[in-house]
Amino acid sequence: MLKKQVLSPGIKRFELDAAEIARKALPGQFVVLRVNEEGERIPLTVADTMPDKGILVIVFQEAGKSTKLLGSLNEGDSILDLIGPLGRHSHIEKFGTVVCIGGGVGTPEIFPVARALKQSDNKVISIIGFRSQDLILMADEMKSVSDELIVATDDGSNGNKGFVTDMLKKVIDRGEKIDHVFAVGPVIMMKMVSKTSEPYKIPTVVSLNPIMLDATGMCGVCRVDVGGESKLACVDGPEFDGHKVDFDGLMARLRTYLPEEKLSLEQYEAAKPKGGCCGGKGGCCA
Amino acid sequence: MREQDPQVRARNFEEVPYGYTPEEAVEEAKRCLKCKKPSCVQGCPVNIDIPGFVGQIALGNFWEAMKVMKTTNTLPAICGRVCPQESQCEGSCVLAKKMEPVAIGNLERYIADWEAQQNECVMCEMKPRTGKKVAVVGAGPAGLTVASDCAKMGHSVAMFEALHKPGGVLVYGIPEFRLPKAIVEREVNFVRSMGVDLQLNYVVGKLKTLDDLLQEFDAVFVGTGAGKPSFMGIPGENCLGVYSANEYLTRSNLMKAYLFPRYDTPIVRGKRVATIGGGNVAMDSARTALRLGAEKSILIYRRSREEMPARTAEVHHAEQEGIEFNLLTNPVRYIADEKGWVKAVECLRMELGEPDASGRRRPVPVKGSEFQIPVDTVVVAIGNSPNPLIAQTTPGLETAKHGNVVADPKTGRTSKQGVFAGGDIVTGAATVILAMGAGRLAANSIDEYVRTGQW
């Protein structure tokens, strides 16, 4: 790891030295990493690449043991395995006017998509949403690749209260023709975005995050029902037509290991030295 | 061969058979009749010099036996454990007609394990360097065979593996109690010791395409296996607790979920686990379920015992351990509880009709015979299809209807110059030894191609 930043509480950005992947990865693709020998294979969307410097950027939210363990790494540390790029890249073309929606930690992931769309001469309207003002991420970066940026907070603490779906509705209702919607964020958000755009028949692409294991088309755990067909998010996706995805099925399957995840996290927290991994000094336990 | 007690072994992940003592090995080897035309060798897909190594064991010359072995087989500890000997070498043994055939598999395993206990290991004879470069995609049984054979022939070999551990199905599919992972690691290390450069976490088709590899290498072998799990497409297959065998076994074997929470990858430890299928993978899954703590491990197979594709020994082991066999039974849907977890599998009774394309009698549903089996976990082990990644990203590579790469069965040559293929990616899911046999043939024709340039 070359560089570590804490973007907001529990959300970290790593720059990794991974030249070959950095040269190949395109917006929408993901990598899988394993921190140590006992670790899980963790899929993470490629947040950015700097091909000339051989740098791959990941942004992740610490939720369970594995992401907390990853977050405890520091600059100069190594990750045991890094595999990628995996999945199909986003289909980018000149659509006309596109709305790019990022929810929470989905924002760093929509960023390279928005940038690519902008570079392909689209008019990019970006909507990013967070629970509150202190959790806002990457607003400047998003602004730099958007013709218009709307930042919303659930609690209104930034002065623009509402969900991303409310903002999308407003954009649609002001009468402008929207040709495409791209959305990355929590499953429930992607479901609501798809429901919002569906009556207007605006093609909507969502990036799914089901449980994955090998992530190369071998285990089948990431299967999702898309338009009545079983698709593997790792090789057929991760992006799919939001109007066809069975989001409820996906949400149910994401709950498969809740008890195990809880147990893992408890054990990890109990074993950690007091004051966190950095002894309370660095930014890692923020 | 002596084995762990079924009651005890059904609750641990240690290997089932203990292996021979030196005395037992010598005694067994002495039973070999030294046939002039050894039919066992013909019965072996890679034509291992069986009388050669068995004869040396009979004389107590274990070191010599291993030397003979390595001229034709660099993965004996694996073959000795997972080959279907009963239908190959042992099935062709002359003694098999009247009594027990020579236990060739056990002897093969013995000699490999004996070598592992010594401080040095038998090295293969290496031909002078040719300066030719061969890329091997996939570090499973086919790929490992091609890599070691090509290295022996003097070519530089680079092997690319998508997972973080080499061995393919040997590490993700076959459980520890049937093939300890330390043994796979040892045999893979032997292949590496011959100068093979192994790159893990490397997805060919994504990081580099086959066409990229052809720029750098004189020939490419594709041995990416049949990894994509099949489902029956019946209602409820996406409910919680329904696994593909690949996922179930990969969690347990490769990711060591049976050691959760010491290892981070979880697995559902069901109390009533149903496994659908009748092959070796189904046996492995049903037996893994027991070892993960199932009170009942239930096998559901739509044909009868005779048609089961699993090895006799594995079916026998499973039975001894208390797996409940539901034969002539076919699932029609899974029923979930209010939280979305599978709680029962509804099945139909079957009867056997006329033979189908596979030559086995076709199972026909008995009308109105629906019944339910209460379960909390299901493992679907009804087969796999080829991994589509290479075919999708390689223009000009001919594939057949299930995505199999089309390759000449005698040479492994594909429709694309310089590209060879073998193993499950060509045949669909088969056995380790058949993949190794295909690897051996491909290595020979790769050698010919890179030397002559003739396609």
Side-chain angles (χ1 to χ4, degrees):
Chain A
M1 190 211 309
L2 303 169
K3 193 174 169 193
K4 173 179 184 172
Q5 287 172 278
V6 179
L7 297 185
S8 76
I11 295 181
K12 290 174 183 172
R13 179 182 183 275
F14 285 4
E15 289 185 7
L16 303 175
D17 177 3
E20 220 172 341
I21 299 176
R23 279 199 297 271
K24 279 281 178 178
L26 294 169
Q29 291 189 299
F30 64 99
V31 293
V32 164
L33 57 84
R34 198 170 65 124
V35 177
N36 57 23
E37 187 54 39
E38 291 81 27
E40 289 181 274
R41 292 170 66 91
I42 311 170
L44 292 171
T45 307
V46 172
D48 203 358
T49 54
M50 299 173 222
D52 47 329
K53 293 184 193 157
I55 292 173
L56 170 78
V57 181
I58 53 169
V59 177
F60 59 96
Q61 179 158 33
E62 295 182 350
K65 178 202 168 164
S66 294
T67 42
K68 282 195 190 269
L69 182 69
L70 179 63
S72 75
L73 298 182
N74 290 304
E75 287 172 12
D77 287 347
S78 288
I79 287 165
L80 184 60
D81 300 307
L82 179 64
I83 311 120
L86 297 170
R88 292 169 184 256
H89 59 79
S90 309
H91 174 72
I92 306 284
E93 61 171 86
K94 188 174 176 182
F95 295 105
T97 301
V98 293
V99 176
C100 291
I101 303 177
V105 76
T107 307
E109 296 168 11
I110 199 75
F111 169 68
V113 179
R115 184 175 55 191
L117 287 163
K118 183 72 204 151
Q119 282 164 356
S120 296
D121 290 333
N122 288 284
K123 180 182 177 188
V124 177
I125 302 169
S126 293
I127 302 172
I128 55 177
F130 304 88
R131 284 204 311 279
S132 64
Q133 190 175 10
D134 54 332
L135 298 174
I136 292 173
L137 285 178
M138 300 197 48
D140 292 341
E141 288 89 340
M142 286 303 291
K143 194 166 187 178
S144 71
V145 298
S146 308
D147 293 275
E148 182 186 352
L149 174 70
I150 301 167
V151 185
T153 49
D154 298 357
D155 64 0
S157 50
N158 76 330
N160 190 25
K161 186 175 160 82
F163 296 123
V164 292
T165 42
D166 301 324
M167 304 304 149
L168 174 62
K169 191 89 179 33
K170 276 187 196 166
V171 170
I172 294 171
D173 285 348
R174 68 189 188 199
E176 193 170 355
K177 181 174 180 290
I178 310 290
D179 298 292
H180 231 78
V181 173
F182 286 81
V184 186
V187 183
I188 185 72
M189 180 212 95
M190 293 190 284
K191 175 184 170 175
M192 298 321 287
V193 165
S194 301
K195 276 200 176 302
T196 305
S197 65
E198 198 169 10
Y200 302 92
K201 298 196 167 56
I202 304 168
T204 298
V205 174
V206 293
S207 176
L208 303 186
N209 60 336
I211 294 173
M212 284 188 185
L213 184 59
D214 67 285
T216 59
M218 207 183 78
C219 81
V221 64
C222 66
R223 60 191 189 270
V224 278
D225 187 318
V226 182
E229 268 185 272
S230 204
K231 295 278 185 191
L232 298 183
C234 68
V235 287
D236 299 325
E239 294 184 348
F240 292 103
D241 179 346
H243 297 155
K244 290 186 177 166
V245 170
D246 169 19
F247 288 104
D248 296 338
L250 172 61
M251 280 189 272
R253 287 177 62 77
L254 282 168
R255 290 193 293 267
T256 307
Y257 294 109
L258 285 185
E260 286 83 4
E261 282 162 16
K262 188 166 169 270
L263 175 71
S264 248
L265 184 58
E266 280 168 5
Q267 288 205 350
Y268 177 69
E269 298 288 351
K272 228 171 38 179
K274 289 234 158 48
C277 46
C278 58
K281 288 195 287 286
C284 55
C285 325
Chain B
M1 197 171 351
R2 288 167 305 118
E3 293 180 341
Q4 266 199 78
D5 180 76
Q7 300 293 316
V8 176
R9 74 181 192 232
R11 301 292 166 195
N12 68 48
F13 275 86
E14 283 150 44
E15 202 175 3
V16 169
Y18 288 117
Y20 283 148
T21 62
E23 294 75 24
E24 285 169 342
V26 171
E27 203 176 316
E28 182 62 25
K30 281 181 176 166
R31 294 179 60 231
C32 174
L33 297 178
K34 304 193 177 76
C35 306
K36 273 224 177 92
K37 283 185 185 165
S39 47
C40 53
V41 181
Q42 265 95 63
C44 170
V46 294
N47 304 128
I48 294 172
D49 180 1
I50 294 165
F53 87 82
V54 171
Q56 292 296 340
I57 295 177
L59 297 171
N61 296 337
F62 299 153
W63 191 251
E64 285 301 317
M66 200 57 198
K67 275 192 196 162
V68 174
M69 174 74 74
K70 287 215 177 151
T71 57
T72 46
N73 183 7
T74 43
L75 310 169
I78 294 168
C79 288
R81 285 171 165 85
V82 302
C83 278
Q85 287 99 3
E86 68 274 14
S87 61
Q88 297 176 347
C89 54
E90 294 178 18
S92 313
C93 176
V94 173
L95 285 179
K97 288 180 189 132
K98 297 211 163 140
M99 52 182 129
E100 284 289 297
V102 175
I104 299 164
N106 289 349
L107 290 170
E108 189 178 22
R109 170 195 158 136
Y110 171 78
I111 200 64
D113 290 357
W114 174 86
E115 188 203 32
Q117 290 161 8
Q118 313 308 309
N119 285 326
E120 48 187 325
C121 103
V122 173
M123 290 310 295
C124 289
E125 206 180 303
M126 308 282 287
K127 296 224 175 101
R129 315 288 297 163
T130 61
K132 299 294 178 186
K133 293 168 76 183
V134 178
V136 174
V137 185
L144 287 167
T145 306
V146 172
S148 63
D149 281 7
C150 284
K152 275 197 230 172
M153 293 163 181
H155 310 309
S156 311
V157 181
M159 190 157 45
F160 300 92
E161 167 57 46
L163 290 174
H164 59 258
K165 280 216 160 62
V169 71
L170 306 171
V171 291
Y172 75 74
I174 302 177
E176 186 76 16
F177 56 83
R178 202 148 75 78
L179 180 63
K181 299 304 152 245
I183 285 170
V184 179
E185 197 177 338
R186 180 171 179 274
E187 300 212 331
V188 170
N189 283 341
F190 180 74
V191 174
R192 294 173 84 167
S193 76
M194 294 192 289
V196 170
D197 171 41
L198 174 63
Q199 301 222 34
L200 298 172
N201 300 311
Y202 203 108
V203 185
V204 172
K206 289 288 178 189
L207 215 44
K208 274 190 183 145
T209 62
L210 223 53
D211 287 310
D212 294 333
L213 291 179
L214 284 169
Q215 301 289 313
E216 285 175 58
F217 294 90
D218 298 291
V220 180
F221 175 80
V222 179
T224 46
K228 196 177 173 210
S230 304
F231 286 93
M232 294 173 67
I234 58 176
E237 250 170 355
N238 281 353
C239 64
L240 276 66
V242 179
Y243 282 97
S244 74
N246 257 6
E247 184 194 353
Y248 196 65
L249 293 173
T250 301
R251 281 184 186 274
S252 183
N253 300 328
L254 179 69
M255 305 310 295
K256 303 213 181 301
Y258 66 92
L259 297 174
F260 179 89
R262 186 150 77 74
Y263 279 72
D264 293 336
T265 304
I267 194 165
V268 173
R269 290 173 176 259
K271 292 287 165 219
R272 292 182 59 89
V273 183
T275 301
I276 319 297
N280 288 324
V281 177
M283 297 303 146
D284 286 343
S285 304
R287 295 172 72 195
T288 295
L290 272 187
R291 284 155 174 83
L292 288 172
E295 284 157 14
K296 242 193 191 346
S297 178
I298 304 153
L299 192 90
I300 299 176
Y301 179 54
R302 65 194 184 126
R303 303 182 197 247
S304 77
R305 180 66 176 272
E306 280 97 80
E307 289 87 18
M308 259 191 185
R311 287 182 65 192
T312 328
E314 304 312 332
V315 177
H316 185 58
H317 280 147
E319 253 177 351
Q320 283 180 329
E321 288 165 14
I323 309 285
E324 188 184 298
F325 283 65
N326 277 269
L327 302 171
L328 289 166
T329 306
N330 202 27
V332 286
R333 68 176 174 124
Y334 301 104
I335 300 155
D337 66 13
E338 64 286 354
K339 286 181 181 157
W341 274 90
V342 65
K343 65 171 184 183
V345 47
E346 186 169 294
C347 300
L348 274 178
R349 298 261 182 235
M350 310 292 277
E351 54 192 16
L352 292 177
E354 294 301 307
D356 63 10
S358 73
R360 298 173 299 175
R361 294 179 65 193
R362 183 194 303 272
V364 183
V366 177
K367 270 193 188 135
S369 65
E370 287 88 349
F371 69 104
Q372 292 185 2
I373 303 174
V375 295
D376 57 15
T377 311
V378 172
V379 184
V380 181
I382 58 162
N384 297 299
S385 52
N387 193 311
L389 203 54
I390 298 277
Q392 274 173 5
T393 55
T394 311
L397 187 67
E398 195 191 331
T399 53
K401 65 172 171 184
H402 296 295
N404 310 52
V405 172
V406 176
D408 182 327
K410 289 206 180 69
T411 61
R413 288 184 178 204
T414 67
S415 60
K416 203 173 166 80
Q417 182 169 351
V419 178
F420 299 76
D424 287 1
I425 186 72
V426 172
T427 58
T431 60
V432 168
I433 192 74
L434 285 175
M436 289 175 59
R440 165 86 17 99
L441 292 172
N444 289 329
S445 60
I446 287 170
D447 182 54
E448 190 195 317
Y449 170 68
V450 298
R451 283 173 191 278
T452 65
Q454 303 282 320
W455 185 253

